[in-house]
Amino acid sequence: MSDPFDLDNFAAEDIPFDAAPAETAAPLTPPYMEGLNPPQREAVETIDGPLLVLAGAGTGKTRVLTTRLAHILAMNKCFPGQILAVTFTNKAAAEMKDRVGRIIGSAVESMYWLGTFHAIGVKILRQHGHLVGLESNYTILDSDDQLRLIKQIVRSHDIDEKRWNPKLLASLIDGWKNRGLMPSQVPDQEGQDYADGQGKLLYAEYQNRLRTLNAADFGDLILLCLTLLQNNPDVRADYQRRFRYILVDEYQDTNVAQYLLLRLLAQGHQNICCVGDDDQSIYGWRGAEVGNILRFEKDFDGAQVVRLEQNYRSTVHILGASGGLIEANQSRLGKTLWTETEGGDKITVNPVWDGREEARVIGEMVEDRQRQKQPLSEMAILVRAGFQTREFEERFLTLGVPHRIVGGFRFYERAEIRDVLAYLRHIANPNDSLALERIINVPKRGIGDATVNKLHAISRSQNCTLAEAGRRIIDTDELRGKAKNSLTRLLDDIDRWRDQAKDNDHIALAETVMEESGYSEMWRLDKSPDAQGKLENLGELIRAMEPFTDLAEFLEHIALVMENAHNDQQDKINIMTLHGAKGLEFDTVFLPGWEEELFPSKKSLEEQGPKGLEEERRLAYVGLTRARKEAHIFHVASRYLYGNYTSPLPSRFISELPADHVEIQQSQGMYGQATPGGFSESFSGGGATQKWSQGYDPGQSGSYQLDRSRSKSPRAGARPASKTAAPSAFKVGDRVFHDKFGYGIVILLDGNKLEVDFEMSSSRKVMDSFVKPA
């Protein structure tokens, strides 16, 4: 063949499994190789045998991937249809195809097996699905259809859905499939995690129903392929011969089922190249197993490892700080990123008073960079938890700074927030029938669609509100049983809450509504993975109400926020979670909320221990390495978290940053004389002590230490040293004053923590250092 890329006449499915073009030697330095650094070129040219490419952040991974594919074809090692190239997202697959196409031209269209894991699974099951109970025209269920089917099965077994949320069963099933477990393979003890031991039985019934429907969910697209190849040696051998070369992107994000599938397919030619970064494995919560990349050399005899360490994105200080941080992890293969770029500012650590002050300071920094002509799109605020976005959304609206929430809903657009706002809207305005319709059966109270339809019919025929229609139908025999009793109770509750609203304590009203309606309890009982986040958002909603004098003012504010949110402008600052930021890069990155229990996440540490801590640290590493030029870390002295105001310690990750690359900023707080006890804590490290501003703690020399030597990395799982809290000088019954909540009476003592019944708010838990005698 004169042109190694002239393969348009070959259809992937028509190529004999063992066919291969005559190999040719590529030019000494082909054009597509120009500009590659030595490790990149080594990764491209190491074609045969197992290869692990450890690609650090910003080291040109995508170019290596695409150039390697082109080089294999240029060398006539195989036809395009004999390469299996697997990515994790459709976007990544499209980008890879586009870049390869620029090198090899139209021959890229013959790369039939380039796509996501799920897309590859679909193709295999369309051909061989009958061997695992699927016909070729099977349906793929989305998550809504999956949950609907699971609910049907749960109800058929008379299982209490309030106690055993079907979403929890869906999550368990997804987890079992991610681990490559069919129902018969699920350990008996794990089946106990749902409905008093029925989890395994319900999983089996769910799979049977899928087969009856000739359907598969997304987990099946991998699990059934794995089952197919495990149980059918002839089919397995065919695919092992077909895929002469396998290339896997983001290998650190593979789950167990994907890992097992790749190992089976690679047993043919053993020409598997996996590209990934163990330091960026941050999706353990959805099944990713960092151990897959860590044991690559054990899984494949004779495997070579190429490290891409030259970074083309970030400054020396960003690389030095993030590299020093990640060294504290034990479960990693190890690499050191470096750059030829000189200069750049140190990472800043910014102590501020609270979340509102955090948003104010970041807002000022954003405006300052705007004045310097830096595009907003080149700035990002990366948060650990979704509830953190609200402060920034509202601050930017106040400043008139265009912004976007990437990968999620704006705070006031989230379903749980809209639910509670609907309760409050209807309390404030009895004529708001849309609000009542939204919450009439939320949480579920036995008022179904048939009842709502009757209310609408009365409302239209008698020209009255939905609430009035409800009162009228209650007095008739048209509505009976549970629906009548529930509707009566709901309307009575709303009347009572409306009377309470006359006291103008809108915060207490919202708390009462959420508790007495059962809405908060619904999420507390919900065992699905997103329930805790929704509770955090409800707590943040309560805090959002504090600056307003009454309910009407707050609801008016929300209406304006929602209206402004839909004004589209091209250049916007990005607000997103750290998880959502992976793979992106910005000139300037702001990292708020680096505090214990928020980051690292309390839930991750409680559920996973040291393993969870290491994943949280990798998440911090990902956040820092998103920055090209500037990275700014923030932590607060007071944070509303888990339903209370807390005095959090600065994140242990701050103490793990090498001091040579970090600059501690003077306190940015506007409450100069506050003395939060958290700032008197000391972090163990190996460097010079950096003291907090006297504006925060005039009575104590609180400090933390930055590590100058990574030879003494903190033990994984170790917590910062803390002092034993001294008994409070206050006593029950004392009258105190708080800068934010005003005057109150101490009603409970717990060491140096007080519970205070504030006159202008509800009771709150605060540190005694936050209040003074009144």
PDB file of all heavy atoms in Angstrom, residues 358-387:
ATOM      1  N   GLU A 358     -16.412  35.484  52.338  1.00  0.00           N
ATOM      2  CA  GLU A 358     -15.664  34.740  51.332  1.00  0.00           C
ATOM      3  C   GLU A 358     -16.120  35.151  49.932  1.00  0.00           C
ATOM      4  O   GLU A 358     -15.297  35.412  49.040  1.00  0.00           O
ATOM      5  CB  GLU A 358     -15.900  33.246  51.570  1.00  0.00           C
ATOM      6  CG  GLU A 358     -15.099  32.294  50.724  1.00  0.00           C
ATOM      7  CD  GLU A 358     -15.408  30.855  51.141  1.00  0.00           C
ATOM      8  OE1 GLU A 358     -16.595  30.458  51.146  1.00  0.00           O
ATOM      9  OE2 GLU A 358     -14.450  30.133  51.464  1.00  0.00           O
ATOM     10  N   ALA A 359     -17.429  35.203  49.739  1.00  0.00           N
ATOM     11  CA  ALA A 359     -17.973  35.594  48.437  1.00  0.00           C
ATOM     12  C   ALA A 359     -17.652  37.062  48.122  1.00  0.00           C
ATOM     13  O   ALA A 359     -17.375  37.415  46.969  1.00  0.00           O
ATOM     14  CB  ALA A 359     -19.483  35.360  48.418  1.00  0.00           C
ATOM     15  N   ARG A 360     -17.692  37.932  49.162  1.00  0.00           N
ATOM     16  CA  ARG A 360     -17.392  39.345  48.939  1.00  0.00           C
ATOM     17  C   ARG A 360     -15.954  39.539  48.464  1.00  0.00           C
ATOM     18  O   ARG A 360     -15.685  40.251  47.494  1.00  0.00           O
ATOM     19  CB  ARG A 360     -17.629  40.152  50.225  1.00  0.00           C
ATOM     20  CG  ARG A 360     -17.412  41.650  50.049  1.00  0.00           C
ATOM     21  CD  ARG A 360     -17.467  42.379  51.378  1.00  0.00           C
ATOM     22  NE  ARG A 360     -16.318  42.046  52.220  1.00  0.00           N
ATOM     23  CZ  ARG A 360     -15.115  42.600  52.072  1.00  0.00           C
ATOM     24  NH1 ARG A 360     -14.888  43.472  51.098  1.00  0.00           N
ATOM     25  NH2 ARG A 360     -14.134  42.262  52.880  1.00  0.00           N
ATOM     26  N   VAL A 361     -15.016  38.885  49.162  1.00  0.00           N
ATOM     27  CA  VAL A 361     -13.601  39.041  48.823  1.00  0.00           C
ATOM     28  C   VAL A 361     -13.315  38.488  47.425  1.00  0.00           C
ATOM     29  O   VAL A 361     -12.628  39.112  46.617  1.00  0.00           O
ATOM     30  CB  VAL A 361     -12.711  38.346  49.876  1.00  0.00           C
ATOM     31  CG1 VAL A 361     -11.251  38.374  49.437  1.00  0.00           C
ATOM     32  CG2 VAL A 361     -12.873  39.022  51.228  1.00  0.00           C
ATOM     33  N   ILE A 362     -13.851  37.302  47.131  1.00  0.00           N
ATOM     34  CA  ILE A 362     -13.635  36.725  45.797  1.00  0.00           C
ATOM     35  C   ILE A 362     -14.265  37.608  44.732  1.00  0.00           C
ATOM     36  O   ILE A 362     -13.691  37.815  43.649  1.00  0.00           O
ATOM     37  CB  ILE A 362     -14.182  35.288  45.744  1.00  0.00           C
ATOM     38  CG1 ILE A 362     -13.300  34.365  46.606  1.00  0.00           C
ATOM     39  CG2 ILE A 362     -14.243  34.771  44.311  1.00  0.00           C
ATOM     40  CD1 ILE A 362     -13.779  32.930  46.686  1.00  0.00           C
ATOM     41  N   GLY A 363     -15.439  38.163  45.033  1.00  0.00           N
ATOM     42  CA  GLY A 363     -16.071  39.076  44.087  1.00  0.00           C
ATOM     43  C   GLY A 363     -15.191  40.270  43.773  1.00  0.00           C
ATOM     44  O   GLY A 363     -15.071  40.694  42.616  1.00  0.00           O
ATOM     45  N   GLU A 364     -14.538  40.836  44.801  1.00  0.00           N
ATOM     46  CA  GLU A 364     -13.638  41.966  44.580  1.00  0.00           C
ATOM     47  C   GLU A 364     -12.433  41.552  43.737  1.00  0.00           C
ATOM     48  O   GLU A 364     -11.978  42.305  42.868  1.00  0.00           O
ATOM     49  CB  GLU A 364     -13.183  42.524  45.930  1.00  0.00           C
ATOM     50  CG  GLU A 364     -14.286  43.218  46.708  1.00  0.00           C
ATOM     51  CD  GLU A 364     -13.833  43.677  48.079  1.00  0.00           C
ATOM     52  OE1 GLU A 364     -12.687  43.322  48.459  1.00  0.00           O
ATOM     53  OE2 GLU A 364     -14.599  44.369  48.767  1.00  0.00           O
ATOM     54  N   MET A 365     -11.909  40.348  43.996  1.00  0.00           N
ATOM     55  CA  MET A 365     -10.762  39.872  43.220  1.00  0.00           C
ATOM     56  C   MET A 365     -11.148  39.658  41.758  1.00  0.00           C
ATOM     57  O   MET A 365     -10.358  39.929  40.846  1.00  0.00           O
ATOM     58  CB  MET A 365     -10.223  38.583  43.846  1.00  0.00           C
ATOM     59  CG  MET A 365      -9.637  38.788  45.241  1.00  0.00           C
ATOM     60  SD  MET A 365      -9.143  37.240  46.054  1.00  0.00           S
ATOM     61  CE  MET A 365      -7.650  36.847  45.115  1.00  0.00           C
ATOM     62  N   VAL A 366     -12.357  39.175  41.543  1.00  0.00           N
ATOM     63  CA  VAL A 366     -12.828  38.972  40.168  1.00  0.00           C
ATOM     64  C   VAL A 366     -12.957  40.313  39.450  1.00  0.00           C
ATOM     65  O   VAL A 366     -12.508  40.470  38.300  1.00  0.00           O
ATOM     66  CB  VAL A 366     -14.181  38.220  40.171  1.00  0.00           C
ATOM     67  CG1 VAL A 366     -14.822  38.259  38.781  1.00  0.00           C
ATOM     68  CG2 VAL A 366     -13.986  36.774  40.621  1.00  0.00           C
ATOM     69  N   GLU A 367     -13.550  41.281  40.127  1.00  0.00           N
ATOM     70  CA  GLU A 367     -13.696  42.604  39.510  1.00  0.00           C
ATOM     71  C   GLU A 367     -12.329  43.235  39.219  1.00  0.00           C
ATOM     72  O   GLU A 367     -12.162  43.901  38.189  1.00  0.00           O
ATOM     73  CB  GLU A 367     -14.507  43.513  40.435  1.00  0.00           C
ATOM     74  CG  GLU A 367     -15.987  43.160  40.485  1.00  0.00           C
ATOM     75  CD  GLU A 367     -16.780  44.213  41.209  1.00  0.00           C
ATOM     76  OE1 GLU A 367     -16.429  44.517  42.371  1.00  0.00           O
ATOM     77  OE2 GLU A 367     -17.748  44.735  40.636  1.00  0.00           O
ATOM     78  N   ASP A 368     -11.379  43.028  40.116  1.00  0.00           N
ATOM     79  CA  ASP A 368     -10.034  43.570  39.898  1.00  0.00           C
ATOM     80  C   ASP A 368      -9.416  42.971  38.636  1.00  0.00           C
ATOM     81  O   ASP A 368      -8.790  43.688  37.841  1.00  0.00           O
ATOM     82  CB  ASP A 368      -9.158  43.258  41.112  1.00  0.00           C
ATOM     83  CG  ASP A 368      -7.745  43.797  40.948  1.00  0.00           C
ATOM     84  OD1 ASP A 368      -7.591  45.026  40.801  1.00  0.00           O
ATOM     85  OD2 ASP A 368      -6.796  42.990  40.957  1.00  0.00           O
ATOM     86  N   ARG A 369      -9.609  41.681  38.423  1.00  0.00           N
ATOM     87  CA  ARG A 369      -9.042  41.042  37.226  1.00  0.00           C
ATOM     88  C   ARG A 369      -9.806  41.446  35.976  1.00  0.00           C
ATOM     89  O   ARG A 369      -9.220  41.506  34.886  1.00  0.00           O
ATOM     90  CB  ARG A 369      -9.024  39.525  37.430  1.00  0.00           C
ATOM     91  CG  ARG A 369      -7.849  39.089  38.295  1.00  0.00           C
ATOM     92  CD  ARG A 369      -8.124  37.875  39.155  1.00  0.00           C
ATOM     93  NE  ARG A 369      -6.977  37.633  40.029  1.00  0.00           N
ATOM     94  CZ  ARG A 369      -6.758  38.333  41.152  1.00  0.00           C
ATOM     95  NH1 ARG A 369      -7.607  39.288  41.526  1.00  0.00           N
ATOM     96  NH2 ARG A 369      -5.693  38.071  41.895  1.00  0.00           N
ATOM     97  N   GLN A 370     -11.095  41.721  36.138  1.00  0.00           N
ATOM     98  CA  GLN A 370     -11.848  42.266  35.006  1.00  0.00           C
ATOM     99  C   GLN A 370     -11.256  43.595  34.552  1.00  0.00           C
ATOM    100  O   GLN A 370     -11.120  43.856  33.357  1.00  0.00           O
ATOM    101  CB  GLN A 370     -13.310  42.482  35.400  1.00  0.00           C
ATOM    102  CG  GLN A 370     -14.226  41.303  35.134  1.00  0.00           C
ATOM    103  CD  GLN A 370     -15.672  41.706  35.327  1.00  0.00           C
ATOM    104  OE1 GLN A 370     -16.100  42.064  36.416  1.00  0.00           O
ATOM    105  NE2 GLN A 370     -16.434  41.649  34.248  1.00  0.00           N
ATOM    106  N   ARG A 371     -10.912  44.441  35.528  1.00  0.00           N
ATOM    107  CA  ARG A 371     -10.325  45.745  35.191  1.00  0.00           C
ATOM    108  C   ARG A 371      -8.984  45.580  34.496  1.00  0.00           C
ATOM    109  O   ARG A 371      -8.558  46.459  33.733  1.00  0.00           O
ATOM    110  CB  ARG A 371     -10.182  46.590  36.463  1.00  0.00           C
ATOM    111  CG  ARG A 371     -11.502  47.120  37.000  1.00  0.00           C
ATOM    112  CD  ARG A 371     -11.296  48.144  38.098  1.00  0.00           C
ATOM    113  NE  ARG A 371     -10.855  47.525  39.338  1.00  0.00           N
ATOM    114  CZ  ARG A 371     -11.682  47.077  40.282  1.00  0.00           C
ATOM    115  NH1 ARG A 371     -13.000  47.197  40.117  1.00  0.00           N
ATOM    116  NH2 ARG A 371     -11.209  46.533  41.388  1.00  0.00           N
ATOM    117  N   GLN A 372      -8.321  44.467  34.760  1.00  0.00           N
ATOM    118  CA  GLN A 372      -7.051  44.171  34.093  1.00  0.00           C
ATOM    119  C   GLN A 372      -7.258  43.454  32.753  1.00  0.00           C
ATOM    120  O   GLN A 372      -6.318  42.925  32.176  1.00  0.00           O
ATOM    121  CB  GLN A 372      -6.180  43.319  35.014  1.00  0.00           C
ATOM    122  CG  GLN A 372      -5.806  44.001  36.318  1.00  0.00           C
ATOM    123  CD  GLN A 372      -5.103  43.062  37.290  1.00  0.00           C
ATOM    124  OE1 GLN A 372      -4.435  42.113  36.874  1.00  0.00           O
ATOM    125  NE2 GLN A 372      -5.246  43.326  38.577  1.00  0.00           N
ATOM    126  N   LYS A 373      -8.520  43.422  32.305  1.00  0.00           N
ATOM    127  CA  LYS A 373      -8.885  42.860  30.998  1.00  0.00           C
ATOM    128  C   LYS A 373      -8.787  41.332  30.945  1.00  0.00           C
ATOM    129  O   LYS A 373      -8.695  40.766  29.850  1.00  0.00           O
ATOM    130  CB  LYS A 373      -8.033  43.466  29.864  1.00  0.00           C
ATOM    131  CG  LYS A 373      -8.029  44.984  29.823  1.00  0.00           C
ATOM    132  CD  LYS A 373      -9.440  45.550  29.655  1.00  0.00           C
ATOM    133  CE  LYS A 373      -9.418  47.067  29.565  1.00  0.00           C
ATOM    134  NZ  LYS A 373     -10.795  47.641  29.493  1.00  0.00           N
ATOM    135  N   GLN A 374      -8.823  40.682  32.089  1.00  0.00           N
ATOM    136  CA  GLN A 374      -8.852  39.217  32.061  1.00  0.00           C
ATOM    137  C   GLN A 374     -10.282  38.764  31.802  1.00  0.00           C
ATOM    138  O   GLN A 374     -11.209  39.175  32.508  1.00  0.00           O
ATOM    139  CB  GLN A 374      -8.360  38.627  33.386  1.00  0.00           C
ATOM    140  CG  GLN A 374      -8.272  37.105  33.345  1.00  0.00           C
ATOM    141  CD  GLN A 374      -7.750  36.521  34.656  1.00  0.00           C
ATOM    142  OE1 GLN A 374      -7.902  37.117  35.703  1.00  0.00           O
ATOM    143  NE2 GLN A 374      -7.132  35.380  34.598  1.00  0.00           N
ATOM    144  N   PRO A 375     -10.519  37.910  30.799  1.00  0.00           N
ATOM    145  CA  PRO A 375     -11.882  37.444  30.513  1.00  0.00           C
ATOM    146  C   PRO A 375     -12.468  36.664  31.693  1.00  0.00           C
ATOM    147  O   PRO A 375     -11.763  35.904  32.370  1.00  0.00           O
ATOM    148  CB  PRO A 375     -11.698  36.530  29.298  1.00  0.00           C
ATOM    149  CG  PRO A 375     -10.382  36.924  28.709  1.00  0.00           C
ATOM    150  CD  PRO A 375      -9.538  37.364  29.858  1.00  0.00           C
ATOM    151  N   LEU A 376     -13.751  36.859  31.942  1.00  0.00           N
ATOM    152  CA  LEU A 376     -14.412  36.111  33.015  1.00  0.00           C
ATOM    153  C   LEU A 376     -14.368  34.610  32.748  1.00  0.00           C
ATOM    154  O   LEU A 376     -14.283  33.808  33.675  1.00  0.00           O
ATOM    155  CB  LEU A 376     -15.871  36.572  33.141  1.00  0.00           C
ATOM    156  CG  LEU A 376     -16.100  37.953  33.739  1.00  0.00           C
ATOM    157  CD1 LEU A 376     -17.570  38.330  33.630  1.00  0.00           C
ATOM    158  CD2 LEU A 376     -15.651  38.009  35.187  1.00  0.00           C
ATOM    159  N   SER A 377     -14.427  34.238  31.481  1.00  0.00           N
ATOM    160  CA  SER A 377     -14.434  32.815  31.137  1.00  0.00           C
ATOM    161  C   SER A 377     -13.137  32.123  31.513  1.00  0.00           C
ATOM    162  O   SER A 377     -13.075  30.889  31.559  1.00  0.00           O
ATOM    163  CB  SER A 377     -14.703  32.626  29.644  1.00  0.00           C
ATOM    164  OG  SER A 377     -13.706  33.285  28.875  1.00  0.00           O
ATOM    165  N   GLU A 378     -12.077  32.911  31.775  1.00  0.00           N
ATOM    166  CA  GLU A 378     -10.795  32.345  32.186  1.00  0.00           C
ATOM    167  C   GLU A 378     -10.644  32.301  33.702  1.00  0.00           C
ATOM    168  O   GLU A 378      -9.554  32.094  34.222  1.00  0.00           O
ATOM    169  CB  GLU A 378      -9.645  33.132  31.568  1.00  0.00           C
ATOM    170  CG  GLU A 378      -9.498  32.902  30.076  1.00  0.00           C
ATOM    171  CD  GLU A 378      -9.224  31.444  29.730  1.00  0.00           C
ATOM    172  OE1 GLU A 378      -8.676  30.721  30.583  1.00  0.00           O
ATOM    173  OE2 GLU A 378      -9.579  31.017  28.621  1.00  0.00           O
ATOM    174  N   MET A 379     -11.769  32.502  34.418  1.00  0.00           N
ATOM    175  CA  MET A 379     -11.776  32.408  35.876  1.00  0.00           C
ATOM    176  C   MET A 379     -12.796  31.361  36.310  1.00  0.00           C
ATOM    177  O   MET A 379     -13.822  31.178  35.644  1.00  0.00           O
ATOM    178  CB  MET A 379     -12.119  33.758  36.509  1.00  0.00           C
ATOM    179  CG  MET A 379     -11.063  34.830  36.308  1.00  0.00           C
ATOM    180  SD  MET A 379     -11.522  36.390  37.119  1.00  0.00           S
ATOM    181  CE  MET A 379     -12.152  37.321  35.718  1.00  0.00           C
ATOM    182  N   ALA A 380     -12.517  30.674  37.411  1.00  0.00           N
ATOM    183  CA  ALA A 380     -13.426  29.649  37.894  1.00  0.00           C
ATOM    184  C   ALA A 380     -13.407  29.602  39.415  1.00  0.00           C
ATOM    185  O   ALA A 380     -12.360  29.797  40.045  1.00  0.00           O
ATOM    186  CB  ALA A 380     -13.061  28.276  37.325  1.00  0.00           C
ATOM    187  N   ILE A 381     -14.582  29.353  39.981  1.00  0.00           N
ATOM    188  CA  ILE A 381     -14.723  29.105  41.411  1.00  0.00           C
ATOM    189  C   ILE A 381     -15.090  27.636  41.568  1.00  0.00           C
ATOM    190  O   ILE A 381     -16.117  27.184  41.049  1.00  0.00           O
ATOM    191  CB  ILE A 381     -15.815  29.997  42.024  1.00  0.00           C
ATOM    192  CG1 ILE A 381     -15.421  31.466  41.869  1.00  0.00           C
ATOM    193  CG2 ILE A 381     -16.055  29.656  43.492  1.00  0.00           C
ATOM    194  CD1 ILE A 381     -16.530  32.429  42.225  1.00  0.00           C
ATOM    195  N   LEU A 382     -14.235  26.888  42.247  1.00  0.00           N
ATOM    196  CA  LEU A 382     -14.404  25.446  42.357  1.00  0.00           C
ATOM    197  C   LEU A 382     -14.758  25.088  43.798  1.00  0.00           C
ATOM    198  O   LEU A 382     -13.951  25.276  44.711  1.00  0.00           O
ATOM    199  CB  LEU A 382     -13.120  24.720  41.931  1.00  0.00           C
ATOM    200  CG  LEU A 382     -12.537  25.127  40.573  1.00  0.00           C
ATOM    201  CD1 LEU A 382     -11.311  24.285  40.248  1.00  0.00           C
ATOM    202  CD2 LEU A 382     -13.584  24.994  39.473  1.00  0.00           C
ATOM    203  N   VAL A 383     -15.961  24.565  44.009  1.00  0.00           N
ATOM    204  CA  VAL A 383     -16.462  24.284  45.354  1.00  0.00           C
ATOM    205  C   VAL A 383     -16.493  22.785  45.601  1.00  0.00           C
ATOM    206  O   VAL A 383     -16.582  21.985  44.672  1.00  0.00           O
ATOM    207  CB  VAL A 383     -17.874  24.876  45.557  1.00  0.00           C
ATOM    208  CG1 VAL A 383     -17.844  26.390  45.378  1.00  0.00           C
ATOM    209  CG2 VAL A 383     -18.892  24.245  44.597  1.00  0.00           C
ATOM    210  N   ARG A 384     -16.439  22.407  46.865  1.00  0.00           N
ATOM    211  CA  ARG A 384     -16.512  20.980  47.224  1.00  0.00           C
ATOM    212  C   ARG A 384     -17.942  20.481  47.260  1.00  0.00           C
ATOM    213  O   ARG A 384     -18.213  19.335  46.917  1.00  0.00           O
ATOM    214  CB  ARG A 384     -15.843  20.752  48.595  1.00  0.00           C
ATOM    215  CG  ARG A 384     -15.941  19.309  49.117  1.00  0.00           C
ATOM    216  CD  ARG A 384     -15.246  18.361  48.166  1.00  0.00           C
ATOM    217  NE  ARG A 384     -15.374  16.965  48.551  1.00  0.00           N
ATOM    218  CZ  ARG A 384     -16.371  16.162  48.199  1.00  0.00           C
ATOM    219  NH1 ARG A 384     -17.355  16.648  47.442  1.00  0.00           N
ATOM    220  NH2 ARG A 384     -16.394  14.905  48.564  1.00  0.00           N
ATOM    221  N   ALA A 385     -18.882  21.327  47.692  1.00  0.00           N
ATOM    222  CA  ALA A 385     -20.278  20.913  47.839  1.00  0.00           C
ATOM    223  C   ALA A 385     -21.190  21.890  47.117  1.00  0.00           C
ATOM    224  O   ALA A 385     -20.917  23.095  47.065  1.00  0.00           O
ATOM    225  CB  ALA A 385     -20.655  20.827  49.320  1.00  0.00           C
ATOM    226  N   GLY A 386     -22.281  21.378  46.588  1.00  0.00           N
ATOM    227  CA  GLY A 386     -23.185  22.184  45.781  1.00  0.00           C
ATOM    228  C   GLY A 386     -23.769  23.378  46.504  1.00  0.00           C
ATOM    229  O   GLY A 386     -24.011  24.424  45.900  1.00  0.00           O
ATOM    230  N   PHE A 387     -24.014  23.259  47.837  1.00  0.00           N
ATOM    231  CA  PHE A 387     -24.655  24.361  48.550  1.00  0.00           C
ATOM    232  C   PHE A 387     -23.785  25.611  48.568  1.00  0.00           C
ATOM    233  O   PHE A 387     -24.282  26.719  48.785  1.00  0.00           O
ATOM    234  CB  PHE A 387     -25.016  23.938  49.976  1.00  0.00           C
ATOM    235  CG  PHE A 387     -23.853  23.889  50.932  1.00  0.00           C
ATOM    236  CD1 PHE A 387     -23.451  25.025  51.612  1.00  0.00           C
ATOM    237  CD2 PHE A 387     -23.174  22.703  51.163  1.00  0.00           C
ATOM    238  CE1 PHE A 387     -22.371  24.980  52.496  1.00  0.00           C
ATOM    239  CE2 PHE A 387     -22.107  22.652  52.042  1.00  0.00           C
ATOM    240  CZ  PHE A 387     -21.701  23.801  52.707  1.00  0.00           C
TER     241      PHE A 387
END
